[in-house]
Amino acid sequence: MHDDRRLIEARLGRVLGERIVPAIYPESVPLRASIWVAPGEPVDVAEGLAAPRTPVESGARWGAPWGTSWLTVEGTVPPEWAGRTVEALIDLGFDQNMTGFQCEGLVYRADGTPVKGLHPRNQWVRIGSPVTGGEQVLLHVEAASNPIIPFFGPTALGDKLTAGGDPQYRLGRMDLAVFDEEVWQLVQDLEVLGELMHEMPEDPARRYDIVRAIERALDAIDLRDVNGTATAARACLTEVLAQPAIGSAHTISAVGHAHIDTAWLWPLRETVRKVARTTANMTALLADSPEFIFTMSQAAQYDFIKQYRPEVYAKVKQAVAEGRFVPAGGMWVESDTNMPGSEAMARQFVYGKRFFLDEFGVENQEAWLPDTFGFAAGLPQIIKAAGSKWLLTQKISWSQINQFPHHTFLWEGIDGSRIFTHFPPVDTYNCSMQGREIAHAARNFKEKGRASISLAPTGWGDGGGGTTREMVAKAARMKDLEGSPRVRWDTPADFFTRAEADYANPPVWVGELYLELHRATLTSQARTKQGNRRSEHLLREAELWAATAAVRGGFEYPSADLDRIWKTVLLHQFHDILPGSAIAWVYREAAQTYAAVATELVSIIDRAQRALGGDALGPNVFNSTPHTWRSIPAGAAGPAEATPPCSVTARTEGGFVLDNGLLRVEVDARGLVVSAFDLERRREALPPGATANLLQVHPDLPNSWDAWDVDLFYRNRVTDLVDADSVTAEPDSTSGAAVRVTRSFGTSTVEQTLTLRAGERALDIDTGVDWHETEKFLKLAFPLDIHADRYASETQFGHMFRPTHTNTSWEYAKFEACNHRFVHVAEPGWGVAVVNDSTYGHDVTRTVRDDGGTTTTLRVSLLRAPRFPDPETDHGAHRFRHALIVGASIGDAVREGYRINLTAPRTGFASAVAPLFRIDNPAVVTSAVKLADDGSGDVIVRVYEAHGDRTQALVSPGFDYTGVEFCDLLERPLAGESSETSHDDGIRLRLRPFQLLTLRFTRPGASPTHK
């Protein structure tokens, strides 16, 4: 027999696209349209509906960037259409290939009832099925003219202030049309079979059976009467569509999904409307499709529509109550997980899970993070402590160099906690049920032979839109279809339950889930990262001092204010805000938000400390750190002990010598550190001839994803900033002795102050940069005379180790990595730490010198200058604080990391303040001290083991208490935890390395202290 498969396949493509699809709407009449352009920011629904309209025609240009237009369409259903299904077709000027990245609309009825969202793949509104004829049609569309942001090039469209006012779009078709259900079903039949056929091997009989069935169907169609012959064509396909899947077929759990970035190529205010459009769409689809299940994560997005679109939220709440609209993930937003601090990462789950419990009575067991750029090694413990046990993500499939070896596995964190984890092998979080996606998932699944179930998040995402009726129809055909994986709609919980049962002994992955891509997100948009870090630590202080003042003096604990501020900070940890990958508008607003947050938190701290220390002047200083500082216990206020003086003297070769009796630092005439000598251990930290505090500039033009990526070839060229404009000494008997250095390069300037503090082996480095470079990468280098094959960097509730070498491709790929407050490099018994107040990205490399010694070089990443999506990224003034800690243990790194991040101790209070808690082991660190969230007046203390050792600690409350419970992050009692209790001394804890514990102390007669 002659092989004519290609001929039939080509025939299908043309007939389907040119004749059958257009026949879905065989008859139409135009709608009358009118428009009102909102003069500024979006208006509420009532104002938009009531505003005066101006007639407008199809083809008219509309929509200034970031504008809002209210479009009204009107018409009458022709009487001759009685008994048929009729839909309104509204094309705002869509580009079919840019779903979620352009204009969108939300349709309302005249009474303000939301109907559904409009986007390029969903332009229809059902009028009636069937109609009686003569119905009056009146629909209003809130149309958002969000601009299409051109990828990878600089653009002014990323901020309303610079985007201009030229119309972006041209109105397309606006018609009433007859919808032919039978032709639409024929399209789904042919698309499913055609896509399946293309994914099958050449030889099996099944492929030939499909080809012949399609050929018969195409022969049955009269191209001049598609609507009249569609039923006959479908009959030709019935048999091949009815053939069941083989017994060993892979099973795909389709989860209705719309990955909506909380901000990215649009500002936060637009996300409110994207969520409203998508959820209106999905509640409508749920009503039409009984088998369909939709899931949405990010409690903040539910809160958006609760606040701003209550009419949409009412439909969502009803669908949630019916069990078919499923809140997922249990986090406030789908946050970055590398950079948020320990407590912030915990609060993502606290606020997310609590919202879902309070609003819907739903508790999630899964963390849902499909698009996050890698996962810190401390996260499994946090997920578990929040009462969850599963994780889903997709992004690791984007890694450039190494393919991750599992799709379903146990992920083990730094403390030994394990989380059942799934990476969907479909390799997208925007699955559209195309045959190539479904076939790829089955072929790609790495657990074949051991497991047989995977998940496919199904729906248009990024900008939102969600699942379509076409996707639901395709899934129904692939429910049990020979040659295809089986497809079923599932909730995340149902999938994970079945997947765990399906895979009894999954493999284990230990340590971070590093994404070999998007490494520059640890550095881009430095101001936002500083705002985040500053906010996290101010929140710690505000809770600490407000709780202390509430317990000691009846201070009103500002619970509502702290909750609101926490939610604001958590919102800005979204995985396209904190990483620096959003448009300029997002960062302009973020800077304003962080400034307001700081002002409010400083006010709370000031009021609480005055309530404790009084308004009279005195010698007492507040210590916000979790360690004793200059004889003041953690969380207390008292007089600081005096410190010995530091000296600064001229250096014979030029420059200056700083000396405090513990550390001697030499700064040469160029302002570079040429010696950091531990006087107690008689050991030099720097290699022979090396210079530290060395600023280095690299060219930085990655192959793509400008704000996201830095490619390894950036290291091929480097400029060392060794020329100084001035180097001067600044003796200061109170804080230490200092050297000030100024430099100029390109169109930028740097001013640094190097301060040796009294009584510490620490050199503080305060760096101010006025940055006006483009496509450059600024690093600060510290070469160290240390032989080490690994180094430690802080992560949530502990630290993790990474190799200094590149033995394997996995190590080679980690050329830029994340740390929180410190990086520590050591030989047994002696090490060096670099601590920071706001930077995350760093690299560590090693070389062997001619003298046989090893130089381990740590470089912290300061600034970048990408042009997309914000062409002015990082331009302007910045200030960074680092400290070089010589002779440092891990404990020193932990202590100094907190010291540099918490605000300068408040001085001048008359009354001393005893701490709420004393802990007798510096390895056990307080992450939070606060009052309980339920308003009971109970006191919460969260601690963790920070050194990586098995240890014990006595926690001694400084107040009366009647009981103590071990709790989860939501402050609910945990079963199975134990401690030794002494009524005289407090609670003795036994902790595993990096173990996290939350304790709840009940106070006798405590009354609510919240407001």
Side-chain angles (χ1 to χ4, degrees):
M1 174 180 177
H2 298 297
D3 187 351
D4 61 352
R5 288 173 300 170
R6 299 290 181 265
L7 188 68
I8 304 304
E9 291 167 3
R11 181 187 178 194
L12 172 63
R14 181 170 187 185
V15 173
L16 188 61
E18 292 186 13
R19 301 301 176 89
I20 303 177
V21 170
I24 293 173
Y25 293 105
E27 299 177 55
S28 64
V29 296
L31 289 162
R32 300 184 304 278
S34 55
I35 196 169
W36 173 70
V37 179
E41 284 294 281
V43 300
D44 62 31
V45 174
E47 183 177 351
L49 294 177
R53 303 292 199 266
T54 301
V56 68
E57 301 288 337
S58 292
R61 290 177 61 82
W62 74 282
W66 307 113
T68 301
S69 298
W70 282 81
L71 186 72
T72 297
V73 294
E74 305 174 74
T76 304
V77 176
E80 59 270 25
W81 290 0
R84 304 171 78 177
T85 298
V86 174
E87 294 180 346
L89 304 180
I90 305 172
D91 180 359
L92 299 178
F94 295 123
D95 180 336
Q96 290 283 330
N97 297 316
M98 295 294 291
T99 302
F101 295 94
Q102 55 173 301
C103 57
E104 298 173 72
L106 179 55
V107 180
Y108 288 90
R109 302 199 189 281
D111 63 357
T113 303
V115 181
K116 66 189 294 286
L118 299 177
H119 62 78
R121 307 281 181 156
N122 202 329
Q123 303 178 25
W124 57 273
V125 181
R126 180 64 57 88
I127 301 302
S129 181
V131 296
T132 58
E135 290 97 331
Q136 298 300 305
V137 176
L138 177 63
L139 298 172
H140 303 282
V141 182
E142 181 190 20
S145 50
N146 303 330
I148 296 175
I149 304 294
F151 272 73
F152 306 133
T155 178
L157 291 172
D159 194 331
K160 190 174 183 178
L161 300 181
T162 60
D166 292 340
Q168 302 288 292
Y169 298 101
R170 193 179 297 276
L171 290 175
R173 182 180 187 182
M174 293 182 288
D175 289 345
L176 277 181
V178 172
F179 175 74
D180 190 324
E181 173 82 17
E182 189 73 354
V183 174
W184 183 84
Q185 295 287 1
L186 174 61
V187 170
Q188 312 316 311
D189 292 344
L190 288 170
E191 286 191 352
V192 166
L193 289 171
E195 291 166 5
L196 173 62
M197 176 178 64
H198 279 291
E199 296 301 322
M200 295 185 70
E202 293 276 334
D203 299 329
R206 173 64 170 167
R207 179 160 180 168
Y208 287 86
D209 290 343
I210 294 173
V211 168
R212 294 306 156 208
I214 289 174
E215 182 181 31
R216 291 191 295 271
L218 295 177
D219 288 342
I221 293 173
D222 182 343
L223 298 183
R224 293 169 297 179
D225 185 16
V226 173
N227 301 89
T229 54
T231 299
R234 292 196 70 201
C236 298
L237 304 173
T238 302
E239 184 176 348
V240 289
L241 284 168
Q243 293 298 313
I246 61 174
S248 61
H250 185 70
T251 298
I252 292 177
S253 291
V255 175
H257 187 238
H259 172 71
I260 305 177
D261 287 310
T262 299
W264 180 26
L265 303 182
W266 46 85
L268 284 166
R269 68 89 152 145
E270 192 55 34
T271 306
V272 174
R273 303 200 295 176
K274 283 180 176 287
V275 175
R277 289 188 287 261
T278 298
T279 52
N281 236 352
M282 293 301 94
T283 52
L285 186 60
L286 287 168
D288 293 340
S289 307
E291 71 277 24
F292 175 55
I293 296 170
F294 182 73
T295 192
M296 190 173 89
S297 68
Q298 306 192 76
Q301 294 190 358
Y302 290 81
D303 198 37
F304 283 165
I305 51 173
K306 179 184 178 182
Q307 291 184 61
Y308 301 110
R309 287 291 195 269
E311 69 283 1
V312 178
Y313 189 62
K315 292 189 173 186
V316 170
K317 286 203 76 168
Q318 179 60 38
V320 171
E322 294 167 358
R324 297 179 57 216
F325 193 118
V326 182
M331 295 175 68
W332 191 245
V333 294
E334 290 181 13
S335 72
D336 180 82
T337 73
N338 285 312
M339 291 176 283
S342 304
E343 197 60 32
M345 199 73 253
R347 303 297 177 99
Q348 285 285 354
F349 288 91
V350 169
Y351 283 98
K353 295 194 78 168
R354 185 164 287 143
F355 183 92
F356 288 159
L357 282 165
D358 291 347
E359 290 291 314
F360 309 123
V362 170
E363 176 156 10
N364 304 95
Q365 296 291 293
E366 76 286 338
W368 185 273
L369 292 161
D371 192 29
T372 296
F373 308 153
F375 298 87
L379 188 58
Q381 179 175 207
I382 297 172
I383 294 173
K384 193 172 181 179
S388 297
K389 59 183 179 179
W390 302 315
L391 169 66
L392 178 133
T393 186
Q394 180 68 63
K395 203 70 170 190
I396 299 298
S397 68
W398 288 39
S399 284
Q400 287 177 314
I401 298 172
N402 298 284
Q403 189 177 79
F404 197 80
H406 315 297
H407 281 113
T408 303
F409 59 99
L410 294 175
W411 178 30
E412 182 177 315
I414 57 174
D415 75 313
S417 296
R418 290 182 174 181
I419 297 296
F420 188 83
T421 302
H422 182 66
F423 293 171
V426 71
D427 281 347
T428 178
Y429 43 79
N430 300 319
C431 177
S432 58
M433 282 291 133
Q434 293 185 49
R436 61 177 175 79
E437 296 171 326
I438 301 305
H440 173 75
R443 286 194 299 264
N444 189 40
F445 188 55
K446 291 183 172 62
E447 274 59 55
K448 288 189 288 285
R450 297 182 182 273
S452 60
I453 302 171
S454 70
L455 184 146
T458 302
W460 297 110
D462 284 313
T467 317
T468 64
R469 62 184 177 185
E470 288 78 14
M471 296 174 196
V472 174
K474 287 187 173 185
R477 286 158 173 79
M478 291 184 284
K479 183 176 182 179
D480 191 15
L481 180 63
E482 184 183 356
S484 169
R486 292 184 177 89
V487 176
R488 55 178 287 170
W489 294 105
D490 258 336
T491 67
D494 286 344
F495 161 76
F496 275 109
T497 299
R498 291 193 301 113
E500 277 192 306
D502 185 50
Y503 202 3
N505 295 294
V508 178
W509 181 271
V510 178
E512 69 181 328
L513 294 171
Y514 180 91
L515 177 63
E516 297 171 2
L517 195 71
H518 296 354
R519 303 167 182 87
T521 57
L522 303 173
T523 305
S524 298
Q525 298 288 359
R527 291 183 191 86
T528 297
K529 291 170 171 56
Q530 289 178 323
N532 173 72
R533 182 79 71 86
R534 176 77 168 136
S535 298
E536 289 178 348
H537 288 83
L538 283 172
L539 276 161
R540 170 196 171 88
E541 291 187 79
E543 288 182 338
L544 168 65
W545 299 122
T548 305
V551 171
R552 293 280 158 70
F555 180 78
E556 273 195 302
Y557 189 79
S559 176
D561 292 336
L562 290 169
D563 279 356
R564 172 177 46 79
I565 296 169
W566 263 118
K567 289 174 182 177
T568 298
V569 173
L570 299 177
L571 178 69
H572 285 77
Q573 291 177 342
F574 178 74
H575 67 253
D576 274 311
I577 300 179
L578 181 56
S581 48
I583 56 174
W585 189 343
V586 173
Y587 297 108
R588 173 170 56 83
E589 290 189 333
Q592 297 166 355
T593 298
Y594 284 128
V597 163
T599 297
E600 190 167 4
L601 289 174
V602 167
S603 175
I604 292 172
I605 294 166
D606 179 71
R607 287 188 283 113
Q609 289 182 341
R610 290 185 182 279
L612 290 163
D615 290 323
L617 295 178
N620 295 301
V621 177
F622 279 89
N623 175 20
S624 299
T625 75
H627 303 92
T628 298
W629 178 83
R630 291 178 60 180
S631 78
I632 306 171
E641 67 181 4
T643 57
C646 300
S647 66
V648 55
T649 57
R651 184 170 174 265
T652 304
E653 303 91 332
F656 300 94
V657 178
L658 303 171
D659 194 319
N660 66 0
L662 296 174
L663 180 63
R664 184 177 67 236
V665 176
E666 296 186 35
V667 182
D668 71 7
R670 301 170 299 173
L672 303 175
V673 175
V674 293
S675 175
F677 192 76
D678 182 344
L679 293 167
E680 184 179 12
R681 298 289 297 274
R682 309 301 298 173
R683 174 155 178 177
E684 174 61 57
L686 274 56
T691 56
N693 188 44
L694 175 64
L695 290 161
Q696 297 180 304
V697 180
H698 295 269
D700 183 19
L701 181 65
N703 289 342
S704 59
W705 300 105
D706 289 18
W708 293 256
D709 283 358
V710 57
D711 291 327
L712 187 55
F713 54 73
Y714 87 92
R715 290 185 183 172
N716 295 348
R717 291 180 56 197
V718 61
T719 300
D720 293 343
L721 303 183
V722 297
D723 295 328
D725 299 336
S726 65
V727 179
T728 58
E730 295 191 354
D732 184 343
S733 61
T734 58
S735 61
V739 174
R740 187 178 298 274
V741 183
T742 60
R743 305 183 193 279
S744 302
F745 61 97
T747 56
S748 304
T749 58
V750 177
E751 182 175 277
Q752 290 185 300
T753 302
L754 283 63
T755 304
L756 185 61
R757 294 185 291 117
E760 300 285 348
R761 291 190 299 272
L763 177 69
D764 285 355
I765 303 170
D766 190 309
T767 304
V769 187
D770 190 11
W771 179 251
H772 297 283
E773 305 305 304
T774 299
E775 295 171 349
K776 294 289 193 296
F777 196 3
L778 182 64
K779 292 239 177 192
L780 181 61
F782 298 91
L784 304 171
D785 190 10
I786 294 177
H787 178 81
D789 60 3
R790 66 176 189 170
Y791 72 95
S793 59
E794 189 183 37
T795 188
Q796 289 102 359
F797 297 113
H799 58 267
M800 60 165 293
F801 292 98
R802 296 188 183 95
T804 60
H805 55 78
T806 56
N807 280 359
T808 71
S809 60
W810 295 87
E811 293 145 0
Y812 171 79
K814 295 182 181 181
F815 59 82
E816 185 80 2
C818 183
N819 67 276
H820 286 187
R821 287 171 290 232
F822 71 80
V823 173
H824 181 258
V825 186
E827 295 172 0
W830 194 88
V832 174
V834 173
V835 300
N836 72 83
D837 77 335
S838 59
T839 56
Y840 297 91
H842 69 276
D843 68 84
V844 177
T845 56
R846 68 197 298 268
T847 59
V848 175
R849 307 187 299 271
D850 291 341
D851 65 4
T854 300
T855 296
T856 302
T857 301
L858 162 64
R859 301 193 307 161
V860 297
S861 303
L862 299 183
L863 292 165
R864 297 184 69 241
R867 299 191 300 160
F868 173 80
D870 176 5
E872 299 296 318
T873 299
D874 284 337
H875 284 205
H878 303 268
R879 183 191 174 204
F880 306 98
R881 296 175 64 229
H882 295 84
L884 179 71
I885 318 299
V886 177
S889 65
I890 281 286
D892 295 327
V894 172
R895 184 189 68 250
E896 291 297 316
Y898 274 103
R899 189 268 308 173
I900 202 170
N901 275 273
L902 290 163
T903 55
R906 293 285 307 285
T907 62
F909 292 90
S911 299
V913 179
L916 278 186
F917 294 96
R918 292 181 185 269
I919 301 176
D920 68 353
N921 186 341
V924 179
V925 175
T926 57
S927 174
V929 176
K930 58 189 287 292
L931 294 195
D933 289 343
D934 61 7
S936 62
D938 291 351
V939 182
I940 303 294
V941 59
R942 187 152 31 247
V943 300
Y944 68 101
E945 196 290 313
H947 293 186
D949 296 328
R950 189 176 296 272
T951 194
Q952 297 185 35
L954 181 66
V955 178
S956 302
F959 55 89
D960 292 334
Y961 66 99
T962 57
V964 60
E965 292 179 308
F966 290 90
C967 298
D968 67 6
L969 293 179
L970 276 70
E971 301 170 7
R972 302 173 298 192
L974 287 174
E977 297 288 351
S978 63
S979 69
E980 296 178 5
T981 304
S982 168
H983 293 291
D984 295 329
D985 298 325
I987 308 301
R988 181 160 295 280
L989 304 177
R990 289 187 174 89
L991 293 95
R992 302 182 306 272
F994 304 127
Q995 185 177 3
L996 163 68
L997 290 174
T998 302
L999 289 83
R1000 179 179 184 131
F1001 290 84
T1002 304
R1003 292 193 294 135
S1007 58
T1009 55
H1010 292 46
K1011 72 169 184 178

